[in-house]
Amino acid sequence: MADVLPLVEARLRSALGEPDARAAVTFLGTDRIEVLRFPAAGQEGGIVRYATLGMSAQPMADPTAPLADPVKGPRAELVLSVRAGLADTGKVLRPLAVLAASPQVEGVIVAPGASLDVGEALWPGAPFTSVLVAEPGGLVEDLELDAPLDPVRFLPLLPMTPNEAAWKRVHGAQALQERWLTHGTDLRDPSRRSVPLE
């Protein structure tokens, strides 16, 4: 079976450019997860992107299945976009690696509409401890793999405040995204306040 990760990294580079930093994190009993940082294009307030590399090495397995299929199953990497220069977002590398390792560690399938919580601020002073997994295909196109492997999907992460996360649990991901849209929320602002939820 061909190694998936060089293909994934090539897709990320073709979509986002050259990374200017990378960090590797290994958790007990899991494969190594790397996080790549793709810098903002020159201007202050530009968008810096962080992408995981390693989550897609193995397919995500249904936690209720008696045996994990080593070949079939959804594969994904995570992508976070934030405005540069407004917060110390460089410290998001480890929380992102934790989220990318969750399918192996906790046996969860990460899919659009899911909430992922790291239990601490995503970076120092961040008003967010969790993210909403958004629909793939906009920023980085799915990477088709040879059959019978599922394609690798690149899932955008949208940071949520604790209030937004609680509201989303009651009303659903779609309702929260509509509220963000209605209020013109800048989801890439690393220090934004919670959207009005009344």
Side-chain angles (χ1 to χ4, degrees), residues 4 14 28 31 36 67 87 97 106 113 116 130 137 141 150 188 191:
V4 170
S14 68
L28 196 61
D31 296 331
L36 281 56
L67 282 174
E106 298 169 26
L116 303 175
S130 62
E141 284 185 27
D150 286 26
R188 293 168 174 170
S191 53

Side-chain angles (χ1 to χ4, degrees), residues 84-162:
L86 302 178
D88 185 11
T89 57
K91 301 282 196 313
V92 78
L93 301 178
R94 185 172 172 79
L96 274 182
V98 169
L99 296 179
S102 62
Q104 289 183 61
V105 175
E106 298 169 26
V108 297
I109 292 181
V110 177
S115 301
L116 303 175
D117 197 315
V118 292
E120 60 184 27
L122 289 177
W123 52 83
F128 319 107
T129 59
S130 62
V131 292
L132 175 65
V133 182
E135 290 291 336
L139 190 61
V140 185
E141 284 185 27
D142 292 358
L143 173 65
E144 297 294 335
L145 301 173
D146 293 338
L149 303 184
D150 286 26
V152 177
R153 304 169 86 198
F154 297 88
L155 301 172
L157 300 180
L158 307 175
M160 292 188 292
T161 66

Side-chain angles (χ1 to χ4, degrees), residues 23-37:
V25 182
T26 306
F27 302 99
L28 196 61
T30 68
D31 296 331
R32 182 171 120 131
I33 302 281
E34 286 191 276
V35 180
L36 281 56
R37 184 179 71 190

Side-chain angles (χ1 to χ4, degrees), residues 55 58-62 69 72-76 103 108-111 155:
M55 182 177 169
Q58 307 289 333
M60 292 183 273
D62 181 345
D69 189 319
K72 289 189 173 174
R75 293 174 189 259
V108 297
I109 292 181
V110 177
L155 301 172

Side-chain angles (χ1 to χ4, degrees), residues 9 12 18 20 22 36-37 54 65-66 71 73 78 82 86 89 91 97 109 112 116 137 166 168 176 185:
E9 182 166 353
L12 285 168
E18 287 300 305
D20 69 346
R22 61 196 304 151
L36 281 56
R37 184 179 71 190
V71 177
L78 308 175
V82 289
L86 302 178
T89 57
K91 301 282 196 313
I109 292 181
L116 303 175
K168 181 252 173 193
L176 178 58
T185 306

